[in-house]
Amino acid sequence: MTTGGKLNSKYSTIIMSARIILQLFAIIILFILHWYSSLFFQTVFLHRYASHQMFTMSKTWERIFFFCTFLTQGSSFLNPRAYAILHRLHHKYSDTKNDPHSPIFSKNIIKLNLNTIKHYESVRLNKKDYSKYDTDVPRWPSLEKISDHWITRLSFVVFYSLIYLKFSTANWQYALLPIHFIMGPLHGSIVNWCGHRYGYTNDKKTKDNSKNTLPVDFLMMGELFQNNHHSNPSKMKFSRRWFELDPGYIAAKILSKINILRIKNA
């Protein structure tokens, strides 16, 4: 092989290696972006707004947040009304037999999720009278109907899969795909299970088993400060002590600074 041929072969190898590395980073970046964008709209829109009305926003911004929640949760979109009612029931009956998702009455996380699904579907399909908890929840009937259709959910699954087919560089990366498919419920499952089982308490007077799982909640954007939250459910800021960090609150505070939302009780 000539010197020029060796150089071309060397450069081809370098370019191919660089392409594989870039594709690897593309998958990792995609996963991180989907994790945190979905989580942002769950903690800010579904939890702090729809469930607790911790802040106000215009109808236009409510629709934007609603649509972005649908877009980021995709195949696992959680209906805001059903989410809010289920969460209000959770606070009312926290860690009792009537709690729709307490780990105290579930032997494992699978049974917890099955019980949550049962109650979620009951609310979504109005199998019982939930009018007592059905106040001031964001609604968008047409989008709710579209988002709940199996074709819509399957379309997101296909979309995620095509991206992985395009950018994946190793078979192990496909193991991340199921997480994209169930992103919304997965976030809730982590919080419901860990937030009422593992960690420390700041307020020992709460009548449930809520815990603060992470002092700096980089994983769930503040959602794992369950003990702090259950101690004062209307307070927008979930962190309490000097070393605790609530990224969800920080994000909401920034949005309030630019007049997108107005926080009631910081």
Side-chain angles (χ1 to χ4, degrees):
M1 183 181 290
T2 63
T3 304
K6 288 181 179 179
L7 284 173
N8 287 335
S9 178
K10 182 179 180 180
Y11 287 136
S12 295
T13 302
I14 292 172
I15 290 171
M16 186 175 295
S17 298
R19 184 177 295 173
I20 291 172
I21 292 171
L22 287 174
Q23 286 181 318
L24 173 60
F25 277 112
I27 290 295
I28 293 173
I29 291 170
L30 170 68
F31 182 83
I32 292 172
L33 284 176
H34 191 198
W35 180 275
Y36 283 105
S37 61
S38 174
L39 182 58
F40 168 79
F41 286 104
Q42 182 160 172
T43 184
V44 174
F45 183 66
L46 294 180
H47 188 188
R48 306 187 202 213
Y49 179 72
S51 302
H52 290 288
Q53 296 292 305
M54 294 175 178
F55 60 88
T56 60
M57 66 171 91
S58 68
K59 190 65 179 179
T60 299
W61 277 112
E62 181 182 287
R63 282 294 174 95
I64 292 171
F65 271 69
F66 201 123
F67 183 77
C68 287
T69 303
F70 160 67
L71 200 62
T72 55
Q73 290 190 332
S75 56
S76 62
F77 174 71
L78 296 170
N79 181 292
R81 172 185 171 272
Y83 184 101
I85 292 174
L86 204 68
H87 191 72
R88 292 170 184 180
L89 287 168
H90 163 64
H91 273 272
K92 182 176 178 62
Y93 301 108
S94 185
D95 289 329
T96 67
K97 290 184 178 181
N98 292 322
D99 188 337
H101 50 66
S102 171
I104 305 304
F105 293 93
S106 299
K107 291 183 179 180
N108 54 60
I109 197 168
I110 295 175
K111 289 188 176 181
L112 171 75
N113 289 330
L114 290 175
N115 193 47
T116 304
I117 292 170
K118 180 186 73 174
H119 286 284
Y120 173 85
E121 286 299 296
S122 175
V123 175
R124 188 178 70 84
L125 299 174
N126 290 307
K127 292 182 177 180
K128 296 180 181 179
D129 179 14
Y130 295 101
S131 57
K132 185 178 179 181
Y133 308 96
D134 195 4
T135 56
D136 297 322
V137 293
R139 299 300 308 270
W140 193 346
S142 58
L143 184 56
E144 289 171 28
K145 186 176 181 179
I146 292 169
S147 65
D148 278 329
H149 200 285
W150 69 268
I151 293 178
T152 303
R153 297 191 185 277
L154 182 60
S155 296
F156 276 106
V157 168
V158 172
F159 174 67
Y160 303 145
S161 301
L162 289 174
I163 291 177
Y164 270 67
L165 283 171
K166 174 68 175 176
F167 293 105
S168 64
T169 57
N171 289 334
W172 66 264
Q173 294 170 9
Y174 288 99
L176 297 173
L177 261 177
I179 298 177
H180 291 281
F181 301 161
I182 60 169
M183 190 71 79
L186 176 62
H187 288 151
S189 179
I190 292 170
V191 173
N192 294 335
W193 183 261
C194 297
H196 284 254
R197 272 187 175 269
Y198 314 117
Y200 63 96
T201 58
N202 287 330
D203 186 353
K204 300 186 185 299
K205 295 180 181 180
T206 55
K207 297 179 180 179
D208 55 26
N209 201 52
S210 57
K211 309 288 185 183
N212 297 322
T213 307
L214 295 174
V216 178
D217 189 7
F218 65 92
L219 182 66
M220 300 303 297
M221 293 189 74
E223 287 293 313
L224 285 173
F225 291 123
Q226 284 292 293
N227 179 250
N228 293 348
H229 174 51
H230 277 253
S231 176
N232 192 348
S234 65
K235 190 175 179 63
M236 181 77 175
K237 187 178 181 181
F238 291 173
S239 59
R240 179 179 295 184
R241 300 170 71 178
W242 67 269
F243 57 83
E244 296 174 344
L245 182 67
D246 175 8
Y249 171 74
I250 294 171
K253 192 70 175 177
I254 293 171
L255 293 176
S256 73
K257 292 290 185 182
I258 55 178
N259 297 319
I260 290 177
L261 52 85
R262 292 165 292 281
I263 298 173
K264 294 179 180 179
N265 180 14

